[in-house]
Amino acid sequence: MTHAPARPAMIWAALIVVYVVWGSTYLGIRVVVEADIPPFLGMGLRFLFAGGLMLAYLWLRHGRARIRVSRRELRGAATMGLLLLVLGNAMVAVAEQTVPSGLAALIVGAISLWFVLLQVAGGERPPVLTWIGVLIGLGGVAVISLPRGGIEGVEAWGIGVLLFGTVSWAFGSYFSPRLGLPRDALVASAYEMLAGSVMLMVVSAATGEFGDLHVAEVPAKGWLALAYLVVLGSLLGYTAYGYLLANAPLSLIGTYAYVNPVVAVVLGWAILSEPVTSIVLIGGALVVGGVVLVVNGERTGRKKERTEKPADLAPDEALAG
């Protein structure tokens, strides 16, 4: 039995979902922390509900066999949950207590630059275009980070936490093929989110966040933003991304890496009136431009590899959402 080819309209609809939804998660996180929902607890709840709902859906829709994993696969998922969600995504929430969402998104957009440097450390030789992109992008990160975006009230520790989070995410993404993750991407994501949520709850309890949460005092917009992150940011975003991986070329999918930060900056400015300074514009343009060159350089390198030595190349790990 053969499957009908995906319609271009469906591919573009899924791509727009990834563009807008994943780009808007930075705004959602900012609203959550501004509503006095502690960052570790808020992200722990997000991934607990998202992972639980995804696992329940897969079980009910496809049976228990679909979600059965080995101990090695579970350990791999837990490791990814630590690197990507606890030390990666949760650090974005911690940082956004002082860093505006658009500025945070631009710094996080540099993940692909760190990923290239990890590849080099592992003995790979990126194309010249990729190197140019890395140098330009890192220059943009410096332009934004050193003066803290030129925005009053942004703390240096927030920038540092963001940079740490991006390195952790890149580290996890780079080593993910060696961790023996479940082959089913949705199953792997569900277990990563559940494992990450458990660790975040432990960290939240250890740092006294449970006592800092006053449920009755949290405004409705805080709970709505958290629900948005669960349903749209995690469930819909990952589903759309999984559909794209199965039906669209990687060169098209990879464009989300430099569209998401732009979406985040626009939404932060339009909805939360976040300042967009000349430093943010110049540094952001350098970061996004560098990522564009890196994505295109990697695409050219992959085409050359396929021509010289055919091989099955795994898709890049999702870097947002």
Side-chain angles (χ1 to χ4, degrees):
M1 180 178 178
T2 58
H3 295 279
R7 290 179 296 175
M10 288 294 292
I11 291 175
W12 279 103
L15 194 62
I16 290 171
V17 166
V18 172
Y19 283 168
V20 177
V21 171
W22 277 359
S24 67
T25 56
Y26 299 95
L27 176 70
I29 291 172
R30 177 74 171 181
V31 173
V32 166
V33 297
E34 284 189 339
D36 291 327
I37 299 176
F40 292 118
L41 180 57
M43 294 305 100
L45 291 172
R46 172 191 177 182
F47 295 122
L48 177 64
F49 286 116
L53 288 171
M54 184 177 289
L55 206 63
Y57 168 78
L58 293 171
W59 187 348
L60 294 173
R61 181 73 174 81
H62 302 283
R64 187 175 179 181
R66 174 77 180 269
I67 65 171
R68 189 177 292 119
V69 295
S70 66
R71 289 184 180 180
R72 181 171 185 265
E73 290 173 330
L74 194 57
R75 284 197 301 270
T79 302
M80 289 293 284
L82 173 64
L83 293 172
L84 268 61
L85 304 183
V86 180
L87 301 179
N89 189 276
M91 293 301 106
V92 176
V94 171
E96 284 197 25
Q97 293 176 105
T98 179
V99 180
S101 62
L103 181 59
L106 289 172
I107 295 174
V108 172
I111 285 176
S112 58
L113 309 180
W114 307 125
F115 191 81
V116 171
L117 295 180
L118 284 170
Q119 289 177 314
V120 173
E124 298 183 38
R125 299 178 64 183
V128 174
L129 184 62
T130 298
W131 270 117
I132 295 172
V134 168
L135 293 175
I136 292 174
L138 291 180
V141 172
V143 167
I144 292 173
S145 300
L146 294 177
R148 288 170 272 175
I151 300 173
E152 187 177 351
V154 175
E155 300 287 348
W157 65 261
I159 300 295
V161 166
L162 271 175
L163 291 171
F164 173 82
T166 61
V167 172
S168 178
W169 192 294
F171 192 83
S173 300
Y174 179 72
F175 284 102
S176 62
R178 302 164 175 79
L179 296 176
L181 295 169
R183 295 182 64 84
D184 187 314
L186 291 180
V187 173
S189 296
Y191 281 112
E192 287 169 21
M193 287 190 282
L194 286 174
S197 71
V198 171
M199 288 182 271
L200 284 167
M201 289 300 187
V202 171
V203 173
S204 180
T207 55
E209 283 190 348
F210 284 10
D212 295 335
L213 177 65
H214 304 286
V215 176
E217 297 177 8
V218 175
K221 66 179 182 180
W223 298 119
L224 288 174
L226 187 58
Y228 179 89
L229 291 173
V230 170
V231 177
L232 296 181
S234 295
L235 298 179
L236 181 61
Y238 271 111
T239 301
Y241 186 75
Y243 177 83
L244 288 171
L245 288 178
N247 296 282
L250 287 176
S251 57
L252 181 62
I253 301 170
T255 57
Y256 83 88
Y258 47 86
V259 174
N260 282 170
V262 176
V263 171
V265 170
V266 172
L267 290 177
W269 167 77
I271 297 176
L272 297 182
S273 299
E274 293 180 349
V276 180
T277 64
S278 58
I279 291 174
V280 170
L281 289 175
I282 295 170
L286 290 172
V287 170
V288 172
V291 173
V292 170
L293 292 177
V294 166
V295 170
N296 282 279
E298 292 297 289
R299 180 178 59 188
T300 302
R302 283 173 180 152
K303 286 181 179 178
K304 186 177 179 180
E305 275 188 35
R306 290 192 187 101
T307 302
E308 296 177 351
K309 183 180 179 181
D312 293 327
L313 298 177
D316 290 338
E317 186 77 25
L319 300 181

